[in-house]
Amino acid sequence: MRADSSRPSSSTPTPAPTRHGCRRPTAPSVSISDSPSPRGGTPIAVLSDGTKIDSPRFLRRAEKKLKKAQQELSRKQKGSKNRAKARQKVARAHAEVADARRQFHHQLSTKLISENQGIAVEDLSVKGLARTRLSKSVHDAGWSSFIGMLEYKAERYGRTLVKIGRFTPTSQTCHACGVKDGAKPLNVREWTCTACGTVHDLDTNAAINVKRAAGLAVSACGAPV
């Protein structure tokens, strides 16, 4: 998923009316990354200026604690009070992870909505990614929840939220010359355009292309870009 956005005059979100269901996005673009970084994690957002916002990886950080709690539960006798207590301990551990992730999503989505008039999001197939070797990172990042927060906050504060089709070749197209270079393996983080020689960071190039695609989408629905 990727996104386009423009700076408001104030850092505080203020509800605003819209016309024809469209608002005008300008300036920096946000990209929700769909591929792993070299260190095995995934940035949850990449701005078109190259800024990358890493996911805190709450689930991975809590894996040892969760595993220990689950092992303690498995050793308790079924139907016993101790097993019930152990089950509650496991539930609390999972709840702590979910709460920490939710708080992070709230803080980040509020920051993006506050600082930008519009955000364009690439509509990735999260369910499809969850069936790949990225499944743990996908679940840990909680992309769907994060995008959901962006959606309702954009509506509440009169911001633009444009969704770009998942089949738009944002990571395959050179933003400098427009040539489609083809699909890239997941381990490729940087590539050179064979047509113009421009060296691209995979995610930043995609974010720039999402920004442009967002402009086309808003033009199509009648708003100036």
Side-chain angles (χ1 to χ4, degrees), residues 10-133:
S10 171
S11 61
T12 303
T14 303
T18 63
R19 294 179 58 192
H20 309 300
C22 300
R23 309 177 198 89
R24 180 182 179 180
T26 59
S29 170
V30 180
S31 166
I32 308 303
S33 176
D34 60 338
S35 49
S37 71
R39 62 181 181 277
T42 53
I44 192 170
V46 181
L47 309 187
S48 57
D49 64 1
T51 302
K52 296 187 179 183
I53 303 172
D54 287 334
S55 169
R57 305 170 72 190
F58 296 105
L59 181 60
R60 288 181 183 273
R61 284 161 48 187
E63 275 184 330
K64 288 185 179 180
K65 181 179 180 180
L66 291 169
K67 183 178 180 180
K68 182 179 178 180
Q70 192 65 49
Q71 287 174 339
E72 290 178 355
L73 172 62
S74 65
R75 288 195 291 265
K76 304 301 180 183
Q77 184 177 351
K78 291 185 178 181
S80 69
K81 290 183 178 180
N82 285 337
R83 185 176 178 86
K85 290 179 181 179
R87 186 182 299 110
Q88 290 178 350
K89 187 175 181 180
V90 171
R92 281 196 301 269
H94 281 286
E96 287 174 2
V97 171
D99 289 343
R101 184 188 296 118
R102 190 179 304 110
Q103 183 179 15
F104 172 71
H105 287 165
H106 269 300
Q107 292 174 343
L108 180 57
S109 58
T110 296
K111 176 179 172 63
L112 292 174
I113 291 295
S114 297
E115 295 180 350
N116 301 283
Q117 288 287 5
I119 296 178
V121 182
E122 189 173 22
D123 185 22
L124 295 177
S125 175
V126 176
K127 289 184 179 180
L129 287 171
R131 292 193 293 268
T132 69
R133 65 185 180 87

